[in-house]
């Protein structure tokens, strides 16, 4: 018997939702409702220096004002460190993760010395310096050994076939940071499995993380969810709308207008002014989303 659909929206509480984050929230909600599933909200607050006190409650209120109510109480990553440590310990015990003493400057110098390309989308590709041991240096972070695996292939429900050679394009990525905080990749994989998430619907900017997460899921023996990455809302500079490039907090005094704008980004046809409330718009949007993706479930 096929598992019940379980989807999630997982914002970081670094501030209120903006137009781009509402698109991701709406897409994940519509996908869950179109497949008679459950929709969860997870507050991804492991990066505590970036978190804004009270932002989690603002986000939950913004979602509620747009009619997007989770089916279960929100889960907070900051309360789940013991589970992340258990996962890391499992990887270390099987020789799949190792301690790393390198700073970013160390990595940049090693790449320059070997003549390799220094950056990939602003991210240093780790050259494996500490894979063979620390040689007396103190450990800073913990990394996943990516060298044994072939390229990761997956099917995105909207973008189609995808592939990434993690070892070559990313290198051994961080699981626990030098400041002691848990890395996004490990936390999200552990929590998706613990919450029984079957489908991950999120913005296209996160598609680049998928191969790393599949690699971790396989290493930890966890189920592989399906993935769907949605179009992005762009700022005036043509880049992804974000707080860093001036994204304004959502004004939820007119939630119906916000939903219509988000629906347009997702490729849903306009309602022609035929609905009067956010709840009516959402009810009408569910079958439109299903038709958009030609779902057969």
């Amino acid at each position: 018997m096929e598992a019940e659909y379980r989807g999630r929206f997982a914002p970081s509480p670094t501030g209120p939702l903006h137009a781009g984050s509402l698109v991701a929230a709406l897409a994940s909600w519509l996908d869950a409702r179109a497949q008679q599933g459950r929709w969860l909200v997870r507050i991804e607050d492991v990066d505590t220096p970036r978190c804004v006190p009270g932002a989690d409650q603002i986000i939950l209120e913004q979602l509620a004002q747009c009619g997007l109510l989770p089916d279960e109480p929100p889960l907070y990553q900051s309360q789940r460190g013991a589970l992340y440590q258990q996962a890391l310990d499992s990887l270390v015990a099987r020789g799949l993760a190792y301690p790393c003493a390198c700073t970013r400057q160390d990595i940049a110098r090693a790449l320059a010395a070997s003549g390799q390309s220094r950056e990939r989308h602003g991210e240093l590709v780790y050259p494996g310096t500490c894979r063979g041991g620390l040689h007396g240096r103190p450990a800073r972070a913990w990394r996943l050994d990516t060298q044994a695996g072939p390229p990761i292939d997956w099917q995105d429900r909207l973008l189609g076939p995808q592939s990434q050679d993690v070892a070559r394009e990313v290198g051994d990525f961080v699981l626990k940071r030098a400041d002691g905080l848990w890395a996004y990749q490990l936390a999200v994989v552990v929590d998706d499995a613990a919450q029984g998430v079957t489908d991950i619907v999120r913005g296209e900017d996160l598609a680049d993380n998928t191969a790393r997460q599949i690699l971790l899921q396989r290493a930890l023996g966890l189920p592989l969810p399906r993935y769907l990455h949605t179009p992005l809302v762009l700022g005036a500079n043509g880049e992804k709308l974000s707080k860093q490039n001036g994204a304004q907090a959502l004004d939820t005094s007119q939630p119906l207008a916000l939903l219509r704008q988000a629906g347009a980004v997702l490729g849903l046809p306009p309602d022609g002014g035929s609905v009067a409330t956010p709840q009516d718009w959402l009810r009408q949007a569910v079958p439109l989303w299903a038709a958009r993706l030609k779902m057969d479930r």
Side-chain angles (χ1 to χ4, degrees):
M1 182 176 179
E2 193 168 1
E4 175 195 37
Y5 180 108
R6 289 172 66 85
R8 50 72 161 176
F9 173 58
S12 296
T14 56
L17 297 181
H18 54 71
S21 43
L22 180 61
V23 168
L26 175 61
S28 61
W29 186 92
L30 289 172
D31 206 56
R33 292 294 177 262
Q35 301 194 57
Q36 295 78 52
R38 296 180 71 78
W39 186 67
L40 316 176
V41 172
R42 182 169 71 229
I43 303 298
E44 298 200 333
D45 57 346
V46 288
D47 192 352
T48 48
R50 296 182 60 240
C51 294
V52 175
D56 59 321
Q57 292 304 312
I58 293 173
I59 289 169
L60 294 171
E61 290 167 9
Q62 290 176 306
L63 292 171
Q65 287 163 351
C66 291
L68 305 178
L69 300 172
D71 296 314
E72 298 175 10
L75 181 145
Y76 285 74
Q77 286 190 327
S78 58
Q79 302 169 4
R80 300 173 63 77
L83 286 175
Y84 308 147
Q85 186 65 56
Q86 184 179 4
L88 177 59
D89 290 346
S90 170
L91 294 169
V92 173
R94 289 177 290 133
L96 299 177
Y98 61 89
C100 176
C102 297
T103 65
R104 288 184 63 84
Q105 290 76 16
D106 292 335
I107 298 169
R109 283 193 292 267
L111 290 172
S114 65
Q116 297 180 53
S117 174
R118 181 169 182 257
E119 294 190 357
R120 172 181 166 274
H121 303 308
E123 178 180 335
L124 294 172
V125 178
Y126 185 67
T129 307
C130 295
R131 200 179 299 132
L134 297 177
H135 304 294
R137 296 186 299 165
R140 291 170 48 81
W142 289 83
R143 294 181 181 271
L144 184 75
D145 189 337
T146 63
Q147 297 306 299
I152 300 294
D153 300 316
W154 76 98
Q155 181 74 20
D156 188 282
R157 293 172 51 210
L158 191 61
L159 302 178
Q162 305 291 311
S163 182
Q164 186 182 74
D165 186 334
V166 178
R168 182 178 61 83
E169 298 179 54
V170 178
D172 298 350
F173 56 89
V174 170
L175 303 174
K176 192 173 187 179
R177 297 173 11 179
D179 57 9
L181 298 178
W182 293 102
Y184 164 76
Q185 307 295 356
L186 181 65
V188 72
V189 162
V190 169
D191 286 335
D192 283 335
Q195 293 187 280
V197 171
T198 62
D199 287 74
I200 293 172
V201 177
R202 58 191 180 186
E204 191 173 345
D205 58 311
L206 294 173
D208 187 58
N209 290 292
T210 305
R212 276 169 276 185
Q213 291 166 13
I214 291 174
L215 198 60
L216 266 176
Q217 288 154 359
R218 291 175 177 171
L220 290 166
L222 302 177
L224 301 182
R226 299 194 304 169
Y227 289 89
L228 187 156
H229 291 88
T230 63
L232 301 179
V233 177
L234 302 181
N237 60 358
E239 297 180 356
K240 172 202 168 187
L241 190 65
S242 67
K243 301 176 186 69
Q244 286 72 32
N245 67 1
Q248 298 298 307
L250 285 180
D251 177 0
T252 51
S253 62
Q254 298 185 43
L256 182 56
L258 294 177
L259 290 171
R260 284 171 169 151
Q261 292 166 7
V265 174
L266 293 172
L268 301 184
D271 60 69
S274 61
V275 297
T277 69
Q279 290 72 23
D280 289 340
W281 188 92
L282 289 168
R283 278 192 291 271
Q284 179 176 285
V286 169
L288 294 175
W289 174 261
R292 164 95 169 80
L293 296 177
K294 299 181 173 62
M295 292 178 182
D296 57 5
R297 288 178 53 167

